[in-house]
Amino acid sequence: MSLRTEAGYEITSECDFSLHTPEGTFDLSPGSSIALVDHLRVLLDQTVTTAIAEDSGALSIKFFDGNLLWIEPDESYEAWNVTGPHGMRVVCMPGGHLAVWNGERC
């Protein structure tokens, strides 16, 4: 699953994740393309209000309309990554450790 914002950020999940909407909570997998597209359609043209990487490695992305994406860390794989302008990047490493590049040159 990959989401791109108008501000130049890209959020990618390689692991299962949850979408919380007023209609319910949906557990989704990046490999289930039909269900994925149907459920993620509610996020089209929505504004991200907050994106928080928890100390545990979980990523929560809240949208203006109240929808929420939740991605848990994975013990064996990089669960998610966020890239942004000027080389900024955050990767949830296996086990939940966060690797962060701010994109600034030394």
Side-chain angles (χ1 to χ4, degrees), residues 37-76:
V37 169
D38 286 345
H39 289 297
L40 293 181
R41 196 178 312 262
V42 300
L43 302 179
L44 287 174
D45 298 322
Q46 293 299 313
T47 300
V48 173
T49 56
T50 58
I52 299 173
E54 306 282 338
D55 289 339
S56 67
L59 178 65
S60 82
I61 304 165
K62 190 169 186 179
F63 295 83
F64 183 76
D65 64 356
N67 291 319
L68 173 77
L69 278 177
W70 180 262
I71 309 170
E72 291 280 344
D74 189 276
E75 286 302 313
S76 303

Side-chain angles (χ1 to χ4, degrees), residues 11 29 33 56-57 80 85 95 98 101:
I11 303 152
S29 173
S33 60
S56 67
W80 56 265
L98 299 179
W101 295 266

Side-chain angles (χ1 to χ4, degrees), residues 88-100:
M88 171 268 181
R89 184 174 188 164
V90 180
V91 177
C92 180
M93 304 300 289
H97 173 75
L98 299 179
V100 179

